[in-house]
Amino acid sequence: MSSTTNSVALYRRLLGYTRPYWRLGFISLLGYLLFAGMESVMAHLMKYFINGLESRDKQMIIFVPLAIVGARIVHGIGSFFGNYYIARVGLGVVNDLRKELFGQLLYLPSRYYDANNSGELISLITYNIQQVSGSVTQAIKTAMRDGFTVLGLLAYLLYTDWKLTLILIVIAPILAGLVRLASRYFRGLSRRLQVTMGGISHIANEAIQGFRLVRSFGGQRYEKQRFDQTSDQSNKLSTKYERIAALQGPVFDLVVAIDLAILLFLILTFWEEDTGTAVAYLTAAAMIAKPLRQVSTVNETIQRGLAAAETIFAVADMAPENDSGREILEVKQGRIEIENLSFSYDEEHPALRNINLVIEPGQTVALVGRSGSGKSTLTNLLLRLYEFQQGSIRIDGHDIRTQTLASLRGNIALVNQQTILFNDTVLRNIAYGADPAEVTPAQVERSADLACATDFIAALPEGLNTLIGEDGTRLSGGQRQRIAIARALFKNAPILVLDEATSALDNESEKAIQTALNNLQLNRTTLIVAHRLSTIEHADNIVVMDQGRIVEQGTHQQLLAQKGYYASLHAVQSSEDA
């Protein structure tokens, strides 16, 4: 497919988002028709003005000024309806696109997030969407308003003297060539600009979110250098873009001026009709230059928008995470069977190798091992955050790939190592994902109490209704972790996954929560990913992993007696704690 064909198809798809707003677009169209029509009327009134001036016709002296005022009133009405309603169309399209894109991002596979940084994704929703807005609103506005004006004035010129007007039309191929050359340049630069804007967003996002780390390690200079370098690159590209955009206008005006000069020479040499008609013709010919130039700039706006639309539609067309299951999982026992399970994030580095494990209903199983041994990967596969290549995982005998993602994840409560909280109230963070209409403060308080969070929540300015700041920045690390644990308690799922759930707690808090977790684990199947072995000594089964394989399993006492891998890990940690 040629680039021109691709651009047309891309823009047609983009314009498809205007269909729900066709009534508003139609009103805007009528407004611009009035606007354009009055431009031709005002040019034609020059004929009566000049002829009335020469003949001293009293009727013309009254008629022309009143007609100009009337034409300007209609002109203004048309401008208002055209501009206002096309703006509403544009706002609606951008709103729809932004919501659709964000909704799509929420359901993309985890691998997509592994491959793209957050700054690029934020730039996609903000900067790229804004560029699309210009191609829908400003471009269509200019195309209709100035395009109709050009057509109206051109029709008037053809009606007045079609032979002279053909000379004016001769410049069309030259202007089209200029537009085509510029469009290639604009499109390429726009793509590169979007990349740099994503980089700017990414660096700023990292530095702002990690400002404590930046300051404690004295990284201000490094972050500023990174940001300045990317910003300078963006500025350099923007300068190139504006240079061509600024040059396009004067070159365009020069071509039109030469054409008008030829017309003026021919009129002065060969014109045989009355002076008023000649002045009206020249006025219309001169008036056509400005809207014609504006129409030529539409290409710049469209190319910038199309470059943004390419990235937006590339994401919109991605397949969401695989949700091919059709059965609704209802966990009654909580038995988990993992058979011959293998998985790799890439072809060269297997993360899990032939894992076989059975977790009985109500049993607490701990996964231990060095970093990178595959512990968290196994819990990710249980939640189907990634699709495994070989083997199977069954819950109560049901292959999790045959179950819907919503029902699978609805039966599993997760507390992971990286505590994620939202800039909302304590209540909404604990009851996250639940229908607000069905949540009662008593339910939330009970979960907070089990997580040993009641005391510090009560000390907050507004208790459960206190806003905790972005990522819970107004809370300590231990408090944030307890909110996350309360969230899992509130979900009350039959299967519980604790991925380093007590890693951010001090010893006193950890002991209190460990008691609550022990009570919570009654009649629940619990999978614990642990680094600190002291937290899982009472687990029913401890599974020791290394390089994606299970190397040992048994109770704490059994594994110590074996004097193998687990015993060496335990000895190292005991010496460190001492």
Side-chain angles (χ1 to χ4, degrees):
M1 182 183 291
S2 68
S3 59
T4 302
T5 304
N6 181 60
S7 296
V8 171
L10 192 63
Y11 199 55
R12 185 183 295 118
R13 179 176 178 181
L14 188 58
L15 291 180
Y17 286 84
T18 65
R19 288 172 188 164
Y21 308 99
W22 69 269
R23 291 181 179 85
L24 299 177
F26 182 70
I27 295 173
S28 178
L29 174 67
L30 294 178
Y32 285 133
L33 283 173
L34 278 178
F35 177 95
M38 290 305 102
E39 292 281 293
S40 299
V41 167
M42 284 185 283
H44 186 64
L45 286 173
M46 294 303 297
K47 171 183 177 179
Y48 298 105
F49 172 74
I50 296 299
N51 290 341
L53 185 63
E54 290 180 342
S55 64
R56 299 295 176 178
D57 187 337
K58 292 182 179 180
Q59 289 184 337
M60 288 297 103
I61 292 174
I62 298 173
F63 168 74
V64 172
L66 290 176
I68 289 176
V69 172
R72 292 304 298 182
I73 290 173
V74 177
H75 182 274
I77 292 172
S79 177
F80 169 78
F81 278 95
N83 292 338
Y84 174 67
Y85 284 100
I86 197 62
R88 286 186 58 183
V89 171
L91 290 172
V93 168
V94 168
N95 185 46
D96 292 344
L97 259 178
R98 185 182 290 120
K99 291 191 295 185
E100 179 180 324
L101 182 61
F102 183 72
Q104 172 73 345
L105 287 172
L106 292 176
Y107 290 95
L108 287 180
S110 300
R111 290 184 184 274
Y112 176 78
Y113 289 91
D114 295 339
N116 295 275
N117 63 64
S118 59
E120 291 173 344
L121 302 184
I122 292 171
S123 179
L124 190 67
I125 297 174
T126 54
Y127 178 77
N128 291 25
I129 288 287
Q130 194 60 42
Q131 300 310 305
V132 168
S133 170
S135 69
V136 173
T137 54
Q138 190 60 40
I140 294 178
K141 171 183 173 180
T142 303
M144 288 201 299
R145 182 191 63 194
D146 296 299
F148 288 152
T149 300
V150 168
L151 291 175
L153 291 171
L154 189 61
Y156 177 76
L157 292 173
L158 286 168
Y159 172 77
T160 304
D161 193 315
W162 64 271
K163 293 179 182 179
L164 279 176
T165 306
L166 289 179
I167 296 173
L168 186 66
I169 295 175
V170 167
I171 67 168
I174 301 174
L175 297 177
L178 291 173
V179 168
R180 184 162 187 174
L181 283 173
S183 66
R184 295 179 181 176
Y185 191 83
F186 288 140
R187 187 80 165 270
L189 272 180
S190 293
R191 290 194 188 101
R192 293 163 66 189
L193 268 171
Q194 288 165 24
V195 173
T196 59
M197 288 304 298
I200 288 172
S201 298
H202 172 61
I203 294 170
N205 189 51
E206 280 189 332
I208 291 170
Q209 287 191 342
F211 77 94
R212 291 181 178 84
L213 182 69
V214 171
R215 293 181 184 181
S216 63
F217 279 84
Q220 291 97 326
R221 177 181 293 182
Y222 171 72
E223 293 299 337
K224 191 174 189 308
Q225 287 175 345
R226 279 209 307 162
F227 187 88
D228 288 353
Q229 183 178 3
T230 307
S231 184
D232 288 342
Q233 184 181 4
S234 177
N235 183 62
K236 184 178 179 181
L237 292 172
S238 297
T239 301
K240 288 182 180 180
Y241 192 102
E242 295 302 331
R243 183 190 306 141
I244 297 301
L247 186 62
Q248 185 181 15
V251 171
F252 184 89
D253 288 343
L254 178 61
V255 175
V256 173
I258 293 172
D259 200 52
L260 287 175
I262 295 171
L263 282 179
L264 187 61
F265 172 78
L266 293 173
I267 288 174
L268 290 171
T269 306
F270 300 107
W271 190 265
E272 296 179 351
E273 295 186 41
D274 60 89
T275 306
T277 303
V279 171
Y281 184 88
L282 278 174
T283 300
M287 288 174 66
I288 207 173
K290 181 180 178 181
L292 197 59
R293 176 181 173 180
Q294 290 297 108
V295 169
S296 72
T297 64
V298 167
N299 174 68
E300 172 198 344
T301 308
I302 289 177
Q303 292 304 321
R304 192 188 285 255
L306 290 182
E310 282 182 323
T311 59
I312 291 170
F313 289 145
V315 174
D317 292 339
M318 287 182 180
E321 61 177 343
N322 183 19
D323 191 10
S324 57
R326 292 293 177 266
E327 299 175 11
I328 304 298
L329 180 63
E330 295 182 9
V331 177
K332 296 180 179 179
Q333 295 179 315
R335 189 173 196 267
I336 301 174
E337 301 169 85
I338 302 172
E339 184 176 354
N340 300 325
L341 184 67
S342 296
F343 172 78
S344 62
Y345 293 100
D346 56 65
E347 296 180 359
E348 298 179 359
H349 304 92
L352 294 177
R353 311 175 192 218
N354 198 36
I355 299 296
N356 289 278
L357 179 65
V358 176
I359 305 174
E360 297 296 341
Q363 196 175 46
T364 296
V365 172
L367 303 176
V368 302
R370 294 188 175 93
S371 296
S373 60
K375 307 184 299 295
S376 294
T377 297
L378 189 56
T379 62
N380 287 336
L381 296 184
L382 178 63
L383 284 156
R384 280 190 64 192
L385 296 177
Y386 295 90
E387 294 295 326
F388 45 87
Q389 290 87 9
Q390 298 177 18
S392 65
I393 300 177
R394 295 185 298 276
I395 297 177
D396 286 352
H398 302 286
D399 192 317
I400 63 172
R401 288 172 293 190
T402 65
Q403 313 300 304
T404 65
L405 288 177
S407 66
L408 170 66
R409 294 168 184 171
N411 282 280
I412 302 174
L414 170 69
V415 181
N416 54 9
Q417 182 177 6
Q418 183 182 5
T419 305
I420 303 296
L421 298 179
F422 301 93
N423 188 19
D424 207 333
T425 64
V426 174
L427 186 146
R428 289 308 312 152
N429 272 279
I430 294 177
Y432 183 74
D435 185 349
E438 298 178 359
V439 175
T440 65
Q443 293 173 313
V444 177
E445 288 170 358
R446 181 175 181 277
S447 300
D449 187 52
L450 287 172
C452 299
T454 302
D455 291 341
F456 82 79
I457 291 175
L460 294 174
E462 298 181 49
L464 287 173
N465 295 316
T466 302
L467 290 171
I468 62 175
E470 183 179 1
D471 202 23
T473 53
R474 298 175 186 173
L475 305 176
S476 68
Q479 289 171 339
R480 290 200 300 270
Q481 197 75 336
R482 278 180 273 176
I483 293 292
I485 293 172
R487 181 163 56 203
L489 289 160
F490 181 86
K491 191 174 184 180
N492 196 29
I495 297 174
L496 183 65
V497 176
L498 305 174
D499 190 347
E500 303 281 7
T502 61
S503 61
L505 303 177
D506 53 47
N507 289 334
E508 183 178 351
S509 297
E510 182 180 329
K511 290 177 182 178
I513 288 184
Q514 197 62 52
T515 301
L517 290 178
N518 290 337
N519 293 330
L520 173 68
Q521 291 164 22
L522 292 174
N523 301 319
R524 283 183 174 84
T525 302
T526 305
L527 189 61
I528 302 175
V529 175
H531 173 71
R532 297 168 64 178
L533 303 184
S534 60
T535 64
I536 49 90
E537 292 181 356
H538 300 291
D540 297 310
N541 189 25
I542 298 173
V543 177
V544 186
M545 300 185 67
D546 184 44
Q547 297 183 0
R549 292 189 174 93
I550 295 177
V551 294
E552 292 176 347
Q553 58 178 307
T555 65
H556 173 68
Q557 295 299 332
Q558 289 172 341
L559 292 174
L560 286 180
Q562 290 179 18
K563 297 183 180 180
Y565 194 93
Y566 178 83
S568 64
L569 285 177
H570 189 270
V572 170
Q573 285 197 12
S574 297
S575 63
E576 290 176 352
D577 293 340

